[in-house]
Amino acid sequence: MDVFDILDRLVAFPSVAGKPNGDIASWIEAYLAEQGAKVTLLPGPEGDRSNLFATIGPADVPGYILSGHMDVVPAGEPQWSSPPFALRRDGERLYGRGTTDMKGFLAAALATMPALARLRLARPIHLAFSYDEEIGCRGVPHLIARLPELCAKPLGVIVGEPSGMRAVRGHKGKAAALITIKGRSGHSSRPDLGLNAIHAMSEALSAAVSEAERLTHGPFDPTFEPAYSSLQAGVIAGGHQVNIIPDSSTLDLEARAIPGVDPASLLAPVKARAEALAAKGYLVEWTPMSAYPALSLPQDAALAALLGDLTGEAPLAAVSYGTEAGLYQAAGLDAIICGPGDIGRAHKPDEYILASELTACQRMIEALAARCAA
């Protein structure tokens, strides 16, 4: 099977985040076993989805991890010009959900395995494929926790998120949470008998706006645009109709933090303001939705130099989106981003990847393997 055949198979699995992934994980497991890889499925605590870890070469020697996620975002938009879970090729473009984010990278990595299996690798190449990345990087922490029993400490992790095959050394961290406030309903003519949940939520929203403005004053990291951490309210909902006192309201908010700042700490003032509403009789629930740390690989890191050599271009300092790379770095492993595709094509109808991007990714992985060969 070539990279296009493999991508066709991967796209056909509707592996939407938050859903069981046994079908795609089992197919990848069987394919890798045929190539002589040592493969381990790592069931998560949910019980219906798994991470996957595979090794070509000696597992007891430090090597490199190629990291990606098997899940995709939903594809319910009506603007798709063809079925999203059926790969469609039109010249250089290959359309389908996940082609860019990030089954294209998975396909390129899998397509190189037969060639890698024929090499006498002195250092191993590992594949680490996770689940539920799209809903807060929920799967990969369980995989990272198992690494010490699966392999020697790796020399580096290449996370294949779409970067146009340009290596990237950094991104901001993120934390997101849902606030739910429950009050007491009633007729709007007697506000004294109810507890207006929307009015109460305005206090949490005011805190969020205040914190967002405060963050614009620093601390700063000129690597990023904007150069400061940020906070925003993304979704707010509540109420039934204008003459009913709203008994519930919800607010989704997120914080994005420059390296050295804990993203969850940026939400703490909003959490405190919301929870203080309990003293007024409201029921307040704070539900964390996602969190991952920033990535900041030093410019002089050996992994950055390696990717510069493999791609022929100096790594970029940072991108605006987040990845699992920060979690690998937090676990003590050097990590960098480098993968085929463009993040601007992801999470939208008619997502696509270029055939040339897939072959460029294969060449990069094969060049890495050549450096690991005996």
Side-chain angles (χ1 to χ4, degrees):
M1 300 177 72
D2 64 18
V3 66
F4 307 111
D5 296 326
I6 295 172
L7 183 59
D8 180 78
R9 295 297 301 270
L10 295 179
V11 169
F13 294 109
S15 52
V16 173
K19 306 292 184 182
N21 77 337
D23 50 1
I24 187 171
S26 294
W27 187 87
I28 294 172
E29 177 189 28
Y31 171 85
L32 287 170
E34 289 178 359
Q35 313 311 319
K38 180 182 179 182
V39 191
T40 306
L41 281 182
L42 303 166
E46 301 83 1
D48 62 0
R49 63 207 78 159
S50 299
N51 295 305
L52 180 147
F53 190 83
T55 299
I56 293 280
D60 59 347
V61 175
Y64 295 94
I65 290 178
L66 304 177
S67 171
H69 59 85
M70 296 176 281
D71 60 300
V72 298
V73 296
E77 309 97 331
Q79 296 90 351
W80 281 90
S81 57
S82 57
F85 294 108
L87 190 68
R88 175 174 65 90
R89 184 164 186 172
D90 183 2
E92 265 278 282
R93 296 186 176 190
L94 295 104
Y95 293 91
R97 173 57 83 221
T99 47
T100 275
D101 189 13
M102 58 179 299
K103 290 179 177 178
F105 177 76
L106 269 59
L110 293 172
T112 63
M113 289 300 107
L116 268 59
R118 292 191 293 270
L119 295 175
R120 295 181 57 199
L121 293 179
R123 295 191 180 278
I125 301 292
H126 309 286
L127 302 183
F129 293 170
S130 67
Y131 68 89
D132 285 2
E133 187 271 351
E134 296 289 8
I135 53 174
C137 300
R138 296 180 182 178
V140 76
H142 307 298
L143 187 157
I144 292 172
R146 299 284 299 275
L147 286 180
E149 67 191 71
L150 294 168
C151 64
K153 184 178 180 179
L155 297 171
V157 181
I158 301 170
V159 178
E161 290 280 2
S163 68
M165 291 307 301
R166 183 83 178 267
V168 180
R169 296 187 290 105
H171 63 66
K172 291 182 179 180
K174 177 184 172 180
L178 166 68
I179 303 173
T180 302
I181 294 179
K182 297 181 180 179
R184 186 168 58 247
S185 187
H187 197 284
S188 62
S189 65
R190 291 298 307 271
D192 54 312
L193 300 179
L195 288 172
N196 190 308
I198 292 178
H199 288 187
M201 186 64 80
S202 69
E203 296 195 27
L205 181 59
S206 176
V209 173
S210 177
E211 286 302 304
E213 197 283 330
R214 183 186 65 80
L215 290 171
T216 65
H217 299 286
F220 299 100
D221 185 333
T223 303
F224 297 92
E225 295 182 351
Y228 48 84
S229 301
S230 62
L231 188 153
Q232 78 147 11
V235 181
I236 189 167
H240 304 286
Q241 63 185 51
V242 71
N243 61 347
I244 300 174
I245 298 170
D247 61 354
S248 68
S249 181
T250 60
L251 175 67
D252 292 17
L253 66 162
E254 69 162 28
R256 294 181 181 266
I258 60 175
V261 176
D262 176 10
S265 72
L266 302 180
L267 299 178
V270 185
K271 183 175 186 284
R273 181 79 70 87
E275 291 179 339
L277 292 164
K280 298 181 179 181
Y282 294 94
L283 176 64
V284 180
E285 299 175 1
W286 177 273
T287 307
M289 295 194 299
S290 65
Y292 55 77
L295 171 69
S296 182
L297 182 70
Q299 186 174 2
D300 60 356
L303 185 62
L306 172 63
L307 267 292
D309 289 345
L310 294 178
T311 63
E313 294 185 276
L316 294 172
V319 288
S320 58
Y321 57 89
T323 75
E324 295 173 332
L327 289 161
Y328 281 105
Q329 187 176 62
L333 302 176
D334 280 355
I336 198 166
I337 304 162
C338 188
D342 185 328
I343 196 67
R345 306 177 201 146
H347 297 194
K348 62 177 59 175
D350 286 347
E351 177 183 352
Y352 70 91
I353 198 165
L354 301 178
S356 58
E357 292 170 335
L358 294 176
T359 54
C361 186
Q362 283 184 268
R363 287 196 299 269
M364 184 270 286
I365 296 171
E366 289 167 356
L368 173 65
R371 295 183 177 226
C372 295

